[in-house]
Amino acid sequence: MTRGSDVADLVIVGGGTAGIIAAKTAGGLGARVVLVERDRTGGDCLWTGCVPSKSLIAAAHTAHRMRRAGRFGITPVEPRVDFAAVMAQVRHAIERIEPVDSPASLSGAGARVISGTAVFTGPDEVRVEGRPLRFRHALIATGSTPALPPVPGLTEVDPLTSDSVWDLTRLPARLAVLGGGPVGCELGQAFARLGAEVTIIEAAERLVPREEPRAAIALSATLSADGIRVLTSTTVTKAARQADGTQLELTGGDRTQTIDVDRVLVATRRRPRTDGLGLEQAGVHLDERGHVAVDAKLRTSNHRIYAAGDVTGAPAFTHVAGVHGSMAATNALLAPVRRIDHDKIPWVTFTDPEIAHVGLTEDRARRRHGDAVRVRVLRHENVDRAIVEDDTDGFTHVVLDAKGRVLGATIVAPRAGEMIAELTGLLARGGRLRDLASVIHPYPAWTDGVWNAAVIESSEALRAPVMRRLTGALLRLHRAR
Ligand SMILES: Cc1cc2nc3c(=O)[nH]c(=O)nc-3n(C[C@H](O)[C@H](O)[C@H](O)COP(=O)(O)OP(=O)(O)OC[C@H]3O[C@@H](n4cnc5c(N)ncnc54)[C@H](O)[C@@H]3O)c2cc1C
Ligand SMILES: NC(=O)c1ccc[n+]([C@@H]2O[C@H](COP(=O)([O-])OP(=O)(O)OC[C@H]3O[C@@H](n4cnc5c(N)ncnc54)[C@H](O)[C@@H]3O)[C@@H](O)[C@H]2O)c1
């Protein structure tokens, strides 16, 4: 494309979730849209993130249920795991989803796909492998990539990351996982259940530090029951290759120890992919953490150029990247009016049990709203679904403001990812937890965890002095008739 009508309405750099949704949205509006992808469309979610990890977790869950079948009166067995076949199934899941994200699907939606690396050469131009491409608007959707911590010797021991772990052909017998965030815990538990001896090393004082402390405690207990060694407040200070694997030096508090493992999986940090993008020529600024700085409407410092997804430093989730992509496309092409409230985003850590979260944690809510914040916790020991499945350790934890409106929630349960949807809707509408009490739920479903919490909230409201006086008066009237 050159000038005039050949100038693209929207050039998208990066064909992950953010770029794909932006391209399909823009194509649907009839815009002239070009998407540039240097590797393969689909991005992290499809190739190295959500899809392979959830497929691996499904295999690991099956192995776990076989070992634990005894509690249902079925002879438990130690499964024989054919790791190559497990990984083949993982690839099969990717293949089944890939067509939706493919260049053909994008072309069908009205977007032109160019293969190559895009570099900005000015405020309204990128070059792809030397070829200029002018735009009215552009979208940076280049995602993020795993980053290694500066540990002496680490690069020499050929560490795995969430990018390369999918190339394994044999299950490592002893695996060290650096970082107890969502990647470390999901993959650490999956590898342990598939038969590896796993150690998770987390620098913070608890796993999944972004979650409610009680969720992290519950997760630690399950991982330990899975045979995983969980070391918190601990970092790796040295790595060294040995004849039969790797030795790691670990430091926690004032204690230093060494462990011997076959492979190391690093899941400590990700960094935005901005290197070599030519952002200076485009007049696009980065924030202090190196992400592309955007305003609430996803505009960068060059208002022709938007950014979406992981590269912005927003919570790194596929659903966020997708909403960003759609928002950026309509804001750029129609009018810059849509915003996203990052305080209302749900997410799920797909460990077993799942940890699902939306909104504010109790701590953040108290810092923002003060002492009026209340918490309603319903343990799942009396939820019938949990009892019949012999899985009663979880809980529903809802953070409320003074009027009983939902500010945030955390659920720990096998189906927490499904259960959180209802509280997400309530939070989005500014609703009160007790509003759910009158909504009929099917029995016996996991959603009873949320419903029972709402029913208790509602019945406690009925016992408040003012309600007591009202119901007392009605009862007296009834008896007098
Ligand atoms: C192991 C793992 C599990 C995860 N599980 C979940 C989950 O269960 N649920 C969830 O919501 N999220 C999950 N995530 C997070 C999710 O994968 C990301 O948030 C999401 O993929 C981000 O999408 P994106 O479009 O911003 O970036 P990406 O998917 O990274 O896409 C960016 C694309 O840009 C391309 N690119 C980069 N630079 C250029 C350039 N100069 N020119 C052309 N192309 C370029 C890249 O090749 C890439 O294809 C997981 C992540 C990991 C690592
Ligand atoms: N189910 C999901 O939705 C899902 C799954 C996986 C990843 N993700 C997304 O991808 C992002 C990246 O995940 P992640 O787990 O790689 O990163 P993360 O930043 O969420 O967690 C990294 C963990 O490593 C710890 N850490 C940092 N440096 C360390 C060190 N030197 N030694 C030991 N521990 C160290 C941190 O304290 C933190 O707990 C997540 O934030 C999430 O948004 C989502």
Side-chain angles (χ1 to χ4, degrees), residues 50-107:
C50 332
V51 175
S53 60
K54 269 75 256 184
S55 178
L56 191 79
I57 287 168
H61 191 59
T62 306
H64 178 72
R65 288 183 79 87
M66 289 169 74
R67 286 189 195 101
R68 298 212 50 206
R71 61 190 174 148
F72 295 112
I74 297 165
T75 309
V77 284
E78 181 53 36
R80 204 181 60 77
V81 174
D82 179 344
F83 187 70
V86 169
M87 290 307 241
Q89 167 58 24
V90 167
R91 285 190 293 279
H92 183 57
I94 294 173
E95 278 161 24
R96 287 189 58 188
I97 295 174
E98 187 274 336
V100 181
D101 290 355
S102 65
S105 154
L106 285 158
S107 303

Side-chain angles (χ1 to χ4, degrees), residues 312-333:
T312 65
F317 299 104
T318 293
H319 41 287
V320 175
V323 171
H324 270 193
S326 149
M327 255 180 67
T330 54
N331 280 352
L333 297 170

Side-chain angles (χ1 to χ4, degrees), residues 18 139-144 272-274 286-287 289-295 298-300 306-316 320-321 324 328 340 342:
L139 174 64
I140 302 164
T142 49
S144 64
R273 288 194 197 99
T274 53
L286 301 181
D287 67 17
R289 293 183 307 146
H291 296 101
V292 174
V294 288
D295 65 15
L298 301 179
R299 289 180 300 200
T300 69
Y306 286 69
D310 282 12
V311 78
T312 65
V320 175
H324 270 193
I340 183 168
H342 288 124

Side-chain angles (χ1 to χ4, degrees), residues 53-54 149-151 178-186 201-204 206-210 234-236 266-270 310 315-317 319 347-350:
S53 60
K54 269 75 256 184
V151 174
L178 265 60
V183 171
C185 290
E186 286 185 358
I201 300 143
E202 165 59 49
R206 57 172 190 266
L207 296 175
V208 286
R210 273 192 289 269
T234 304
T235 53
V236 177
V266 178
T268 47
R269 200 170 68 83
R270 295 180 71 80
D310 282 12
F317 299 104
H319 41 287
W347 65 74
V348 183
T349 301
F350 290 93

Side-chain angles (χ1 to χ4, degrees), residues 170-367:
R170 277 190 310 145
L171 181 76
R174 299 165 304 171
L175 177 70
V177 180
L178 265 60
V183 171
C185 290
E186 286 185 358
L187 294 185
Q189 186 179 43
F191 275 96
R193 288 181 168 189
L194 291 171
E197 188 185 304
V198 174
T199 305
I200 298 181
I201 300 143
E202 165 59 49
E205 62 183 11
R206 57 172 190 266
L207 296 175
V208 286
R210 273 192 289 269
E211 304 292 348
E212 292 286 0
R214 63 167 68 226
I217 292 166
L219 179 60
S220 269
T222 313
L223 295 185
S224 300
D226 279 324
I228 297 174
R229 204 170 156 211
V230 177
L231 302 174
T232 51
S233 303
T234 304
T235 53
V236 177
T237 35
K238 200 157 58 178
R241 194 184 276 280
Q242 293 197 313
D244 60 344
T246 293
Q247 185 168 76
L248 296 179
E249 181 189 89
L250 311 179
T251 304
D254 46 14
R255 190 165 160 243
T256 298
Q257 57 178 314
T258 56
I259 58 166
D260 296 317
V261 295
D262 296 299
R263 297 302 300 261
V264 180
L265 170 64
V266 178
T268 47
R269 200 170 68 83
R270 295 180 71 80
R271 61 179 175 77
R273 288 194 197 99
T274 53
D275 294 350
L277 264 178
L279 295 182
E280 265 181 36
Q281 287 88 304
V284 171
H285 300 160
L286 301 181
D287 67 17
E288 63 287 350
R289 293 183 307 146
H291 296 101
V292 174
V294 288
D295 65 15
K297 295 168 181 174
L298 301 179
R299 289 180 300 200
T300 69
S301 47
N302 173 351
H303 278 198
R304 279 173 181 270
I305 303 180
Y306 286 69
D310 282 12
V311 78
T312 65
F317 299 104
T318 293
H319 41 287
V320 175
V323 171
H324 270 193
S326 149
M327 255 180 67
T330 54
N331 280 352
L333 297 170
L334 303 178
V337 290
R338 288 174 66 194
R339 307 162 177 263
I340 183 168
D341 184 350
H342 288 124
D343 280 342
K344 293 182 176 166
I345 292 169
W347 65 74
V348 183
T349 301
F350 290 93
T351 44
D352 176 19
E354 294 175 355
I355 303 176
H357 175 83
V358 67
L360 303 180
T361 56
E362 181 178 348
D363 186 47
R364 283 187 64 206
R366 286 198 192 287
R367 275 187 270 139

Side-chain angles (χ1 to χ4, degrees), residues 398-473:
V398 192
V399 181
L400 305 164
D401 72 6
K403 293 183 172 159
R405 288 179 301 215
V406 176
L407 296 172
T410 296
I411 304 177
V412 172
R415 305 281 177 86
E418 268 69 44
M419 294 165 74
I420 201 73
E422 188 165 32
L423 290 168
T424 304
L426 203 56
L427 176 60
R429 296 192 302 275
R432 296 173 309 175
L433 177 60
R434 65 170 174 266
D435 297 341
L436 279 186
S438 58
V439 179
I440 301 171
H441 287 59
Y443 175 87
W446 278 103
T447 49
D448 270 354
V450 176
W451 195 22
N452 292 357
V455 169
I456 294 171
E457 175 81 2
S458 169
S459 41
E460 280 191 8
L462 279 177
R463 286 200 293 272
V466 58
M467 290 306 288
R468 265 291 149 96
R469 281 197 291 278
L470 188 67
T471 50

